[in-house]
Amino acid sequence: MSAEEQLKALSLFIASRNGATDVDLSAYRAHTEGFSMETFSFDAHWTESGGEVFDGRLIARVQPEAGLLEPYDLRPQVLAMRAVHGTVAVPELLWFEEGSEVLGAPFYVNRFVAGDVPVPSEGPSGELPIEDPLERESLARDFAGNLAALHRFDWQAAGLSELGGPDGVPEDGRDAARRVVANWRGYHERSRAGAAPMMARAFKELEVRLPRQSPLCLVHGDYRTGNFLRVGGRITAILDWEMVHLGDPMEDLAWACSRIWRGQTDMPGLLVERERLLHMYSEAGGLDVDEQRLAFYDLLAAVKMSAIMTTGLRAWADGRTDDVRMLMFRHQLAGMQVIMAESAGVVGALS
Amino acid sequence: MAMLDHEKVIEALAATLENEVLPALGQGPSRLQLYSVLDVLENLSAYLEWGGQLAELEVAACRRAASQLAGLLEGELSARCRDFAAETGGGDTALETARTLLVDVIESPAFDSSEVRATVDACLGESVLTAAMFMKPSRLSEVSKG
């Protein structure tokens, strides 16, 4: 669908949903920051049946056919974002359409939130995405605070049991860990990447390190620099809820602290040092930090990223996406294997 | 076309894209795709130059490990290790055989033995570190900005 066709279809959709008249959508802009969802924003104006006028900018996220996290299902992220709105910095969600009639695929629309997305990667000369240390400190505090609030969120009271997945709510943290390993093993196997000894070694190590006990909470699943909007030193929205599920809080912390997002520094997400971030999380009321479980989920982070990469490569190889960015993963897998080898204790720490 | 060295061809393509095409593009999907193409081209050049050698180094590391593992394992896995250590062939087939063998050892009960584990880990460590040495700096920061 062209931009014009998308806006026209959305105009009809909004009119039918609100009984709105005078619907005018304009100033379309495609957003290219993300790797999976098709995202675009637009100015919207309409008059509701009660006479109230809406004027504002909205953003639509459309489920892609193929990509890094296929098969896609928007429902869990929509449920989570709606539930935690007001507790965690998330954009207000206006509509969720599960059918494909309007835009050719399921989508949701939320209010546009101002801000830019710092990426967890240094520039060509090693420059940090956020140069000002005070700004990094402030962002890290917001980052830790939002995560603590998410982990403290009462998902049972909010009726989010569905986020336990098709097998229902995990029995406990060990069951959740077992499921998350099985989930990423499934991604790896479906990507048919050929015999992969380092992945096999990592899965073996994960079996050995499987946590005995842990609390269950709402886990974002992709909580890191690159997935939040900020204005100056303040986070305005936590984005990319595609991998939200019920699990161990250490899963988010380990992902956020992984070497994958540190560049050549020792700062998770290129924000602040790991110990400082963990301290901020605790100080903000986060759940107890456990280094053993962090080590388990740190290894899982490398496994997960490798499985995401080979899934993207498989989608490209099978002709289900023509996004050339997927091809970058072919050589980046080598770096991921080093991180995996370190986390699994196969080689000593290199940095 | 033997006079055209593939590395120079790729360098020329990348330079043209970066110096002539990129400045003409605005922000957005086209720019992002072009950065990805540049990233892939730069690494493709390294792969074409070193890829074969890299595979040979990995197979050699696996043969050394297989030779040791043959004495540590029993039954069919031991025989497969002995056979693989004695082979001399290279290329993609040898690489796939080597990797499959390692995976089978890792997934076997024998991997509980610390000696077996240490032998496999030494081989894996050597292979992943060697492979990473050939990576070019990533353009992920440019790609992510779009």
Side-chain angles (χ1 to χ4, degrees):
Chain A
M1 274 178 121
S2 67
E4 206 174 305
E5 288 167 336
Q6 284 180 316
L7 289 189
K8 193 176 172 191
L10 271 177
S11 296
L12 295 171
F13 172 80
I14 292 169
S16 71
R17 279 294 172 100
N18 278 8
T21 55
D22 189 22
V23 180
D24 179 30
L25 309 184
S26 60
Y28 178 101
R29 183 166 96 78
H31 292 260
T32 55
E33 299 89 357
F35 264 83
S36 47
M37 309 278 276
E38 186 194 341
T39 306
F40 60 90
S41 61
F42 50 94
D43 285 340
H45 168 95
W46 65 76
T47 308
E48 291 181 9
S49 49
E52 199 176 331
V53 173
F54 178 91
D55 252 317
R57 194 156 180 83
L58 300 177
I59 193 152
R61 283 161 75 83
V62 186
Q63 182 171 299
E65 264 180 56
L68 302 180
L69 297 169
E70 62 187 24
Y72 285 89
D73 179 10
L74 294 187
R75 191 174 160 78
Q77 59 182 296
V78 166
L79 291 178
M81 286 170 71
R82 276 191 173 144
V84 304
H85 180 67
T87 304
V88 179
V90 288
E92 185 189 356
L93 213 135
L94 300 183
W95 302 292
F96 170 43
E97 176 58 38
E98 291 192 75
S100 301
E101 297 79 16
V102 181
L103 291 181
F107 68 94
Y108 62 82
V109 177
N110 56 257
R111 282 184 194 272
F112 183 84
V113 176
D116 69 297
V117 180
V119 293
S121 159
E122 295 140 306
S125 314
E127 60 270 25
L128 294 172
I130 303 155
E131 296 281 2
D132 181 356
L134 291 176
E135 218 166 75
R136 287 201 303 273
E137 173 89 2
S138 168
L139 283 171
R141 196 171 291 286
D142 266 7
F143 182 78
N146 274 291
L147 189 60
L150 175 69
H151 291 167
R152 285 276 178 208
F153 184 77
D154 189 345
W155 56 269
Q156 284 168 307
L160 291 179
S161 302
E162 195 180 316
L163 299 187
D167 297 328
V169 176
E171 283 171 28
D172 51 24
R174 186 175 173 83
D175 187 30
R178 203 182 282 119
R179 286 189 197 186
V180 82
V181 171
N183 180 42
W184 291 110
R185 190 191 284 274
Y187 271 96
H188 168 64
E189 287 173 358
R190 285 193 297 278
S191 73
R192 306 192 309 282
M198 194 55 239
M199 279 294 261
R201 176 70 181 89
F203 279 120
K204 194 80 177 179
E205 191 66 24
L206 287 171
E207 276 173 30
V208 174
R209 293 188 195 173
L210 201 72
R212 288 187 196 289
Q213 276 187 327
S214 64
L216 269 184
C217 70
L218 208 48
V219 169
H220 178 281
D222 196 7
Y223 201 85
R224 60 175 175 83
T225 300
N227 281 341
F228 62 74
L229 284 166
R230 62 100 189 215
V231 174
R234 299 308 305 265
I235 288 180
T236 52
I238 305 294
L239 307 172
D240 294 323
W241 292 73
E242 287 101 317
M243 292 195 270
V244 68
H245 61 279
L246 298 178
D248 186 326
M250 295 305 108
E251 187 182 343
D252 274 336
L253 264 187
W255 183 249
C257 291
S258 169
R259 258 197 65 201
I260 303 168
W261 324 114
R262 288 190 200 178
Q264 300 303 311
T265 77
D266 59 354
M267 298 188 291
L270 302 174
L271 291 175
V272 292
E273 282 72 21
R274 178 180 182 274
E275 294 315 309
R276 181 100 190 96
L277 188 65
L278 295 180
H279 177 72
M280 286 175 171
Y281 171 78
S282 298
E283 214 174 43
L287 301 179
D288 288 346
V289 173
D290 180 304
E291 286 292 349
Q292 265 193 329
R293 278 160 44 222
L294 271 177
F296 169 85
Y297 283 106
D298 178 58
L299 174 55
L300 183 79
V303 165
K304 175 170 154 178
M305 196 62 207
S306 295
I308 289 172
M309 287 175 164
T310 52
T311 300
L313 284 168
R314 173 51 59 197
W316 193 89
D318 290 348
R320 282 175 288 112
T321 176
D322 57 2
D323 189 339
V324 194
R325 290 178 300 170
M326 304 293 171
L327 288 181
M328 292 171 63
F329 295 145
R330 188 173 178 275
H331 48 268
Q332 284 175 354
L333 273 169
M336 205 50 54
Q337 294 230 332
V338 174
I339 293 176
M340 203 184 298
E342 275 186 32
S343 297
V346 166
V347 297
L350 301 173
S351 59
Chain B
M1 298 294 278
M3 63 176 135
L4 289 179
D5 174 69
H6 63 72
E7 202 183 352
K8 281 189 179 152
V9 171
I10 290 173
E11 253 177 46
L13 291 174
T16 304
L17 290 173
E18 181 146 29
N19 303 327
E20 309 295 330
V21 181
L22 194 63
L25 294 177
Q27 296 295 321
S30 311
R31 188 178 188 84
L32 177 152
Q33 292 289 322
L34 187 57
Y35 272 128
S36 309
V37 170
L38 285 168
D39 190 277
V40 172
L41 280 177
E42 283 155 5
N43 279 279
L44 189 62
S45 173
Y47 180 77
L48 286 171
E49 189 172 2
W50 301 107
Q53 208 174 323
L54 202 56
E56 278 175 32
L57 288 171
E58 185 175 338
V59 169
C62 289
R63 286 221 161 91
R64 285 193 296 277
S67 167
Q68 286 177 266
L69 288 167
L72 298 171
L73 299 167
E74 292 176 352
E76 188 233 343
L77 263 182
S78 171
R80 280 173 61 197
C81 286
R82 195 164 36 251
D83 290 349
F84 181 70
E87 281 171 19
T88 53
D92 287 348
T93 312
L95 188 60
E96 192 59 21
T97 306
R99 289 178 175 176
T100 304
L101 183 58
L102 277 185
V103 169
D104 289 347
V105 171
I106 291 165
E107 290 179 349
S108 76
F111 196 70
D112 290 341
S113 147
S114 57
E115 276 180 291
V116 171
R117 202 162 52 241
T119 306
V120 169
D121 281 359
C123 172
L124 283 177
E126 188 180 333
S127 297
V128 298
L129 293 178
T130 308
M133 280 168 54
F134 293 98
M135 273 181 68
K136 293 280 175 74
S138 171
R139 286 178 178 266
L140 190 64
S141 59
E142 289 104 322
V143 170
S144 304
K145 275 180 190 156

